[in-house]
Amino acid sequence: MKTRREFLHTAAATAVLSGASRTRGDDSFPPVRVITKGPGHHWFGYYDKHQFDPSDRFVLGMRV
């Protein structure tokens, strides 16, 4: 069984070797924009809640 560190190292190496980085004009990834700022970490992790409301106006998340 691999440790978490070994798993992350293997996953990162695989992504680099497969060319999974985003380049200009690459439409295979959805558009991304920053919605948080400042110090701290922001995340979403509820098993029975949706991250976005039906109108896509609000986002549910946590800051630590």
Side-chain angles (χ1 to χ4, degrees):
M1 176 150 195
K2 288 186 174 186
T3 65
R4 181 175 185 266
R5 183 179 299 270
E6 290 169 335
F7 170 77
L8 293 174
H9 178 72
T10 303
T14 302
V16 168
L17 292 175
S18 68
S21 63
R22 183 173 181 165
T23 59
R24 287 188 176 269
D26 184 3
D27 294 330
S28 62
F29 292 98
V32 176
R33 68 183 175 118
V34 176
I35 60 172
T36 61
K37 64 180 179 177
H41 300 280
H42 300 84
W43 60 278
F44 172 79
Y46 291 98
Y47 61 91
D48 62 345
K49 305 289 184 208
H50 294 285
Q51 187 171 3
F52 300 97
D53 75 311
S55 69
D56 283 339
R57 181 175 176 201
F58 299 103
V59 177
L60 178 62
M62 299 288 290
R63 181 180 69 161
V64 294

